[in-house]
Amino acid sequence: MGIRDKFKFDLSKTEDKLKLFILVSGTLLFLLVAVVGGISLTMSPDFCKLCHNAMQPEYVTWQYSSHSNIACVDCHMEPGVINIMKEKIVATGHLYDYITAAYEEELPIKMKHELPSHLCEQCHSVETRSFTLSGDLKDPHEYHEKVGVSCVKCHSGVAHGNIAGRAATTEGELAAWSDKEGKENMAMEFVRPDMDTCVACHINPAKYGVEGIESVTWDCGACHEDIFTPNSHKEATWTRNHGLDAAGQLKDCVSCHAMGVEPTFAADGVKNNVIKTGSTAKDFAWTTEFCINCHSQKPDDHKDKSQWMPNHKQAVAGKGMNNCIACHSIQKPKAGETLQSPAKEVACNNCHWFK
């Protein structure tokens, strides 16, 4: 009797019907277990690392994150069988990119879309969770959620240190990232939202997904219970003399008043791009919201133009030209310059001919 004869069934016989049922059921059960087991295996973080060496940086940073006990798919995949199958189909494209090294042309590797907040809310709730904010900070998460600020706008570094956003994975052998690189890139400065993010969002909410609101207060008291004020700022002469201090110690000004500003100044107060006016202190004042808010207000003696204009020469002689150019430009700004000071158009050489 050959093998083919063994698999011939006489369906008129109860015994053969039972054999066929067992064979078909066993085959289907085997396939089901294989598929479920295969899907389960491919959904584990270890498999992600083995299959996608390009994702080694994400893997080692995740290991040092507060989410290291959360599987990748819990955050990066919508729940449900249908969504799982969709993701597995999409994953075949990732496999092709890996085999052909196509991903190397698009470094750093980034997600095609932003993680929606409801995936975070599978574990976290802004209404019931107590937030462990540091120091004197206050942060009404429920209000941010109400106006449409998604979780990842502030917490982009919580799982991977925002390595893609920081362009930390644009060069080098990605597969060579070790625990050392993972730990270094999960330092607190990369994980927690910083003050730059807060202030930048308050200045330009639309950039962070908030619609219908042009700006939000960035007064220090909006986020801090207690505001530290240096002793020098409390002196009666501070407002009048702070420009001189800025010219000599800009580093101290930058340490507090550069939050939320594009990084045109390094921490030591040196401008990273081309100096527009020849004075780093003035450039800083002209491009920093903290300074502009005051510098854009006319002093009391400027408000009556009929009185101010005939007498401003004496004011310049008494206070010095540096006092004027804290707000005004000697030369009218050239086309294309983006200085933010509202007083920049009132240039000395509109009427004078200074060099």
Side-chain angles (χ1 to χ4, degrees), residues 176-337:
W177 274 52
S178 64
D179 287 352
K180 177 177 178 292
E181 285 79 17
K183 187 174 183 179
E184 290 175 349
N185 281 276
M186 290 305 289
M188 203 60 68
E189 62 185 293
F190 303 134
V191 174
R192 287 185 176 178
D194 59 19
M195 191 172 171
D196 283 344
T197 303
C198 302
V199 178
C201 180
H202 279 216
I203 292 174
N204 185 9
K207 184 179 178 181
Y208 289 78
V210 180
E211 298 179 356
I213 300 177
E214 292 187 4
S215 64
V216 184
T217 178
W218 46 271
D219 181 84
C220 302
C223 300
H224 295 275
E225 298 283 358
D226 302 304
I227 307 300
F228 167 74
T229 303
N231 291 330
S232 61
H233 291 41
K234 300 175 183 178
E235 297 175 2
T237 58
W238 168 248
T239 302
R240 184 169 68 252
N241 297 330
H242 73 279
L244 297 175
D245 290 343
Q249 302 176 2
L250 187 58
K251 177 181 178 180
D252 294 337
C253 305
V254 172
S255 64
C256 289
H257 295 294
M259 297 302 176
V261 179
E262 293 296 324
T264 54
F265 284 83
D268 60 358
V270 176
K271 198 166 178 57
N272 293 334
N273 60 3
V274 178
I275 294 176
K276 297 185 178 74
T277 67
S279 165
T280 54
K282 181 180 175 181
D283 284 338
F284 180 71
W286 276 22
T287 56
T288 306
E289 294 288 339
F290 284 96
C291 305
I292 291 172
N293 268 16
C294 291
H295 284 219
S296 62
Q297 303 298 319
K298 283 187 178 181
D300 290 339
D301 59 0
H302 286 44
K303 292 179 179 178
D304 187 344
K305 190 175 182 179
S306 64
Q307 295 294 321
W308 168 247
M309 290 303 294
N311 298 313
H312 75 281
K313 182 177 181 180
Q314 288 80 1
V316 174
K319 296 181 179 180
M321 182 67 82
N322 285 337
N323 187 72
C324 303
I325 65 172
C327 298
H328 298 290
S329 173
I330 293 178
Q331 303 289 350
K332 187 174 182 178
K334 298 177 182 178
E337 286 189 330

Side-chain angles (χ1 to χ4, degrees), residues 52-90:
H52 304 289
N53 285 341
M55 300 299 289
Q56 177 71 3
E58 282 74 13
Y59 180 79
V60 292
T61 49
W62 164 79
Q63 286 187 310
Y64 284 94
S65 77
S66 59
H67 287 58
S68 59
N69 61 334
I70 307 295
C72 307
V73 294
D74 290 339
C75 296
H76 291 282
M77 187 182 295
E78 295 282 356
V81 175
I82 294 178
N83 289 318
I84 291 175
M85 299 309 296
K86 287 180 178 178
E87 288 294 336
K88 292 307 171 186
I89 294 173
V90 172

Side-chain angles (χ1 to χ4, degrees), residues 39-226:
I39 290 176
S40 178
L41 175 63
T42 60
M43 290 173 67
S44 70
D46 286 334
F47 181 85
C48 295
K49 181 196 71 167
L50 292 174
C51 188
H52 304 289
N53 285 341
M55 300 299 289
Q56 177 71 3
E58 282 74 13
Y59 180 79
V60 292
T61 49
W62 164 79
Q63 286 187 310
Y64 284 94
S65 77
S66 59
H67 287 58
S68 59
N69 61 334
I70 307 295
C72 307
V73 294
D74 290 339
C75 296
H76 291 282
M77 187 182 295
E78 295 282 356
V81 175
I82 294 178
N83 289 318
I84 291 175
M85 299 309 296
K86 287 180 178 178
E87 288 294 336
K88 292 307 171 186
I89 294 173
V90 172
T92 58
H94 299 165
L95 180 61
Y96 173 81
D97 288 342
Y98 174 68
I99 293 174
T100 61
Y103 67 88
E104 294 180 357
E105 299 178 3
E106 298 182 8
L107 294 178
I109 297 172
K110 293 183 178 180
M111 293 185 61
K112 301 297 184 183
H113 56 82
E114 188 178 87
L115 284 180
S117 293
H118 70 260
L119 291 176
C120 305
E121 291 168 357
Q122 294 177 111
C123 297
H124 307 287
S125 169
V126 297
E127 296 178 354
T128 61
R129 183 169 181 262
S130 296
F131 301 99
T132 53
L133 298 173
S134 62
D136 67 335
L137 289 175
K138 49 184 177 180
D139 187 351
H141 281 67
E142 65 281 0
Y143 179 76
H144 287 82
E145 181 188 45
K146 182 179 178 180
V147 298
V149 179
S150 63
C151 301
V152 294
K153 290 298 186 185
C154 300
H155 298 286
S156 59
V158 68
H160 304 292
N162 194 27
I163 53 176
R166 294 189 290 109
T169 54
T170 56
E171 297 179 351
E173 182 60 44
L174 302 185
W177 274 52
S178 64
D179 287 352
K180 177 177 178 292
E181 285 79 17
K183 187 174 183 179
E184 290 175 349
N185 281 276
M186 290 305 289
M188 203 60 68
E189 62 185 293
F190 303 134
V191 174
R192 287 185 176 178
D194 59 19
M195 191 172 171
D196 283 344
T197 303
C198 302
V199 178
C201 180
H202 279 216
I203 292 174
N204 185 9
K207 184 179 178 181
Y208 289 78
V210 180
E211 298 179 356
I213 300 177
E214 292 187 4
S215 64
V216 184
T217 178
W218 46 271
D219 181 84
C220 302
C223 300
H224 295 275
E225 298 283 358
D226 302 304

